[in-house]
Amino acid sequence: MMDDGRSLVDRIASFREWVAEWLHGFYHGMVEHPSFEKIEKEAEDVEDTFLFACFADAFGIPSPASYYTAELLPYLAEEFEAWERRMWDRGSWLERKGQQYHVH
Amino acid sequence: MEQFVFFGGKGGVGKTTVSCAYALKCAEAGLDTLVVSTDPAHSTADVFDQTFDDDPRAVEGHERLWAMEIDPDEEVERHMGEIRRRMNEQVSAAIVNEIDRQIELAHRTPGAYEAALFDRFVQVMREADDYDRVVFDTSPTGGTLRLLALPEFLEGWIERLVAKRTKSVDLFEKAAVGDREARQKLDEDPLIAHLQGRKERFEFAGRTLREDAAFFLVVNPDELSIRETERAVAEMAEQDLGVEGFVVNRVTPAPDDDEQGRGATWLRERVATERERIDEIRRAFDEPVVAEIESRVREVRGDLLAAVADDLAIDADAAPAAH
């Protein structure tokens, strides 16, 4: 074992830190990441319904509240633009659904 | 009488005449009174022979009397301009064009006109502290009823939107791992804050309409007008809004008993038919007939308005202090 001048206690501590970090990364890659990604996709789904409820008239469905929901557009501009693109482009939407519900 | 008094009814029954006459009565009773026209075909100008606009203006020749005409089209433009201004402040130029289409769309729907009218309406009520009485000369029945139903409808809508938004933001928070910043956070979500603000304004409107407002329907003594009034009363009851009474306008004056000519005979028959209609109104509704106003030969303005005001048996006393 190399003697780099540190005490045994220090070296054990840094080894444990390294193991903990590696394990966390391993766990995140195997378990956490896919499920968090799923939650995020679910969140996106809910956001899509929210956007649809706000801006149904973008798809020709008249909405009595669209005068008021237009006030939200400055906060939602980027989401709105991406949502509109997603909704019109059914191909990419289906692909995304496949990804979301594909069994890992 | 409540601080806010509304006159509604079918197009052409004489809402403007009655509203202006009542406003004059209030002003002469010593109340600072504002008469607000929300009818797209503003005729307040004809009654007082003076032009009005979106800001209250003193009516010449009368103490304590002000008038204004709400212009929903102007409000729609203002609303659209305001959203565009905020858009340009917060969003990159590339995206602005895409969104602009949606903004334009939202302001060109038929509902936009009503929403704008409603907003101005609420604003007038919020800023009415200077007046003891505000008299609304509303647009024809259908539009007014939809307008009065708006607060409840929109409150429910906003509640559902806030619930959806809360759920998605909550999920985004859960999806944020470790040090990763959540894409969106609940307690600083500007959307929820904005929606809540809107909801409070609708709640204010609903509360004010239910608690501090009185509604009168102007009706002519004819079949069509009575049917429309029946519908209006039923729809308002659905909104939890009570009608205080009816003003029967354009009642044909009876000829003197010794007159026997063709004109007099015609008038007599007409008066009898109208009498039946007025009796029908008194029978069919629980609410009282607060005035029967005879047809005038000429347009009601000037001294004639004061005469009509005298015919109105509607209280012109001040609103109760606590409201």
Side-chain angles (χ1 to χ4, degrees):
Chain A
M1 190 177 282
M2 248 167 49
D3 184 6
D4 55 5
R6 293 187 302 168
S7 74
L8 185 64
V9 177
D10 280 349
R11 272 181 284 149
I12 289 175
S14 77
F15 176 73
R16 283 173 61 119
E17 226 169 76
W18 177 81
V19 169
E21 203 183 300
W22 189 87
L23 271 178
H24 182 259
F26 182 74
Y27 178 74
H28 177 71
M30 292 293 288
V31 181
E32 267 186 355
H33 186 66
S35 65
F36 279 117
E37 206 170 62
K38 261 195 178 165
I39 295 177
E40 195 163 279
K41 288 219 165 106
E42 197 188 330
E44 282 168 5
D45 275 358
V46 179
E47 195 180 70
D48 279 358
T49 7
F50 172 79
L51 286 162
F52 195 77
C54 287
F55 309 110
D57 50 344
F59 292 90
I61 302 162
S63 155
S66 66
Y67 181 82
Y68 294 110
T69 50
E71 292 166 7
L72 303 175
L73 281 167
Y75 308 112
L76 278 174
E78 273 152 51
E79 282 99 326
F80 175 82
E81 206 260 345
W83 167 76
E84 210 185 12
R85 218 166 346 102
R86 244 187 347 262
M87 298 300 274
W88 282 118
D89 185 3
R90 233 180 125 62
S92 79
W93 187 76
L94 277 175
E95 189 189 321
R96 188 176 156 267
K97 287 283 127 183
Q99 235 180 45
Q100 190 173 352
Y101 296 113
H102 175 76
V103 183
H104 286 284
Chain B
M1 186 58 59
E2 282 78 359
Q3 188 189 6
F4 304 106
V5 177
F6 289 75
F7 289 95
K10 205 165 129 319
V13 290
K15 290 184 293 295
T16 303
T17 307
V18 175
S19 306
C20 292
Y22 178 63
L24 181 65
K25 193 183 172 82
C26 293
E28 284 180 352
L31 302 181
D32 285 340
T33 305
L34 171 66
V35 55
V36 185
S37 168
T38 63
D39 194 329
H42 296 294
S43 35
T44 327
D46 299 328
V47 175
F48 293 118
D49 202 15
Q50 182 187 338
T51 53
F52 299 101
D53 58 18
D54 217 43
D55 293 310
R57 221 184 258 195
V59 178
E60 286 158 22
H62 297 282
E63 296 276 308
R64 298 177 175 274
L65 187 59
W66 288 262
M68 69 188 284
E69 293 178 338
I70 287 177
D71 184 351
D73 286 326
E74 205 175 279
E75 173 63 15
V76 169
E77 292 307 315
R78 197 204 56 75
H79 187 256
M80 187 156 67
E82 168 70 17
I83 294 178
R84 283 193 169 132
R85 192 186 56 72
R86 283 198 296 127
M87 187 72 82
N88 288 322
E89 272 172 17
Q90 297 178 24
V91 180
S92 72
I95 277 185
V96 165
N97 282 340
E98 277 302 305
I99 311 300
D100 205 47
R101 213 161 20 108
Q102 181 65 26
I103 296 177
E104 188 86 30
L105 195 68
H107 289 84
R108 298 289 171 247
T109 54
Y113 183 89
E114 266 171 25
L117 181 55
F118 180 73
D119 280 358
R120 287 291 292 121
F121 219 75
V122 176
Q123 201 185 351
V124 170
M125 293 198 288
R126 286 186 90 120
E127 296 167 2
D129 288 348
D130 292 347
Y131 303 99
D132 301 312
R133 168 122 324 121
V134 182
V135 181
F136 287 92
D137 166 19
T138 68
S139 50
T141 329
T144 312
L145 286 174
R146 276 201 299 278
L147 217 61
L148 299 178
L150 264 176
E152 204 183 336
F153 171 78
L154 291 170
E155 270 176 55
W157 181 283
I158 287 184
E159 256 165 47
R160 287 197 295 279
L161 284 184
V162 169
K164 269 265 170 293
R165 177 72 181 173
T166 308
K167 191 174 171 204
S168 80
V169 176
D170 180 53
L171 284 166
F172 275 122
E173 277 187 346
K174 289 202 175 93
V177 191
D179 293 340
R180 233 178 94 200
E181 190 73 0
R183 253 165 70 179
Q184 287 155 359
K185 285 186 182 161
L186 261 186
D187 49 350
E188 46 193 64
D189 189 52
L191 258 82
I192 293 179
H194 188 93
L195 287 171
Q196 297 286 19
R198 260 293 173 198
K199 188 164 168 269
E200 273 156 32
R201 272 157 72 184
F202 293 138
E203 278 166 353
F204 164 84
R207 206 171 47 240
T208 308
L209 289 174
R210 276 189 306 272
E211 293 169 10
D212 301 324
F215 299 90
F216 291 92
L217 291 174
V218 182
V219 53
N220 290 161
D222 63 57
E223 203 61 47
L224 217 63
S225 181
I226 295 172
R227 293 291 91 81
E228 172 109 3
T229 306
E230 276 172 357
R231 275 195 297 275
V233 171
E235 282 180 48
M236 287 183 67
E238 250 172 64
Q239 302 305 321
D240 229 359
L241 301 169
V243 175
E244 304 275 320
F246 304 100
V247 176
V248 186
N249 191 30
R250 298 231 163 87
V251 179
T252 308
D256 289 337
D257 286 342
D258 58 346
E259 290 179 83
Q260 294 302 329
R262 222 156 65 93
T265 311
W266 186 90
L267 272 180
R268 213 162 273 127
E269 275 173 34
R270 171 130 201 143
V271 167
T273 316
E274 288 182 2
R275 198 35 56 198
E276 278 171 35
R277 302 277 183 261
I278 297 172
D279 288 344
E280 191 188 336
I281 297 172
R282 291 187 192 271
R283 261 200 322 274
F285 302 105
D286 299 332
E287 299 80 6
V289 170
V290 290
E292 287 181 27
I293 299 169
E294 286 191 349
S295 281
R296 299 318 206 251
V297 178
R298 275 185 289 166
E299 289 78 13
V300 174
R301 52 172 70 159
D303 291 344
L304 265 183
L305 193 66
V308 171
D310 287 340
D311 285 349
L312 283 172
I314 307 178
D315 282 347
D317 57 353
H323 62 262

